[in-house]
Amino acid sequence: MDFERARQYATRIGVAAALSAVLLAIVLTFLINDRPDIGAVEWLPVDDIAEPAPGVVTMTWLGVGTLLFDDGDTQILVDGFVSRPSLADIVFRRPVTNDIPLINRVLLDYDMERLAAIIPAHSHFDHAMDIGAIANRSSASIMGSESTANIARGSGVPEDQVLVAEPGTEYAFGEFRVTLLNSPHAPIGWRGATPFSGTIDAPLELPASVGEWREGGSFSIVIAHPQGTALVHGSAGFSQEALERLQADVVIKSVAQLNSLGRNYAERYWQALVTGTGVYRVLPIHFDDLTAPFGEIRLPPRIVDDFPQTAGWLREFRQTWDQDVNLIMPTFGEPLAIYLVSPAPSS
Ligand SMILES: [Zn+2]
């Protein structure tokens, strides 16, 4: 009799567990599919920017934080993230590796035959996953932290293409002069921590789980050129002190999960990067779903990041602090002449 009762009890628990699992799956499916529409975000149209002309510095946004700067002679790639691990790869920490055929195609499609430097904002996979494979297909130097250097070494990049940068020191690549400034990563991890924190202390061999791309220190990247200076922030962390005396023309800033840090934080981030540096253009980046295939720009699920809310704040900050500043949403793969001043035509 007791045995029969125990059996009924176990059956009931089994049914309840199965129903809970189904319910959880339904809720998760709903949350993952609740994505804001990127077309609904109000923004200044990109055609406020002049058409790129020969010799004019352009910046091409290639999704997430990857940016290609080009002055016609020299190209600088900020970040290198082309392969796109899936949501399941990230959640279950499945080993991932470079999508070589795709990288080859991207290097051809975007004419990256004059790459002088590849500079990740930090060493997380969504910034630095493909830097080694790209460097191996060019003569570009990989510049960054010791962790970034270990990503390069793990991919077999020759040591003479690996440059561990001294923060605050200027490095010249053609007419570009690049300075890395120490900057904290955005505190978007558990209780304000940096996700996948720590350093990569040995060559990172692939395949590896996304968690093995440790942050390794983050940078504000200052890219100066006779035509203008860009300040690039691949993560929404900032150091007031590091930016204190910096003057720039254009700021390209990550807004990934900025809404989760609150309006006050977002406003201080704006003031440090935009108001304080005197830039005339602001381009948000890293608002797109990093698990989307390369070239497909869609917003992440609202539960992960609410970009329409962030975009609303940015418009308010511009209205409050910097009405002369243009707020521009970059279009994937389109070279933008980011500076107002065009060079005098060479004779
Ligand atoms: Zn990061």
Side-chain angles (χ1 to χ4, degrees), residues 121-127 185-186 188 194-196 213-215 218 234-236 254 256 286:
H122 54 271
S123 297
H124 279 154
F125 75 97
D126 55 332
H127 296 266
H185 190 276
I188 51 172
T194 295
F196 306 141
W213 277 271
R214 300 272 156 189
E215 184 235 359
S218 297
S235 173
S254 167
H286 213 329

Side-chain angles (χ1 to χ4, degrees), residues 211-223:
E212 292 187 53
W213 277 271
R214 300 272 156 189
E215 184 235 359
S218 297
F219 301 110
S220 296
I221 306 174
V222 182
I223 303 177

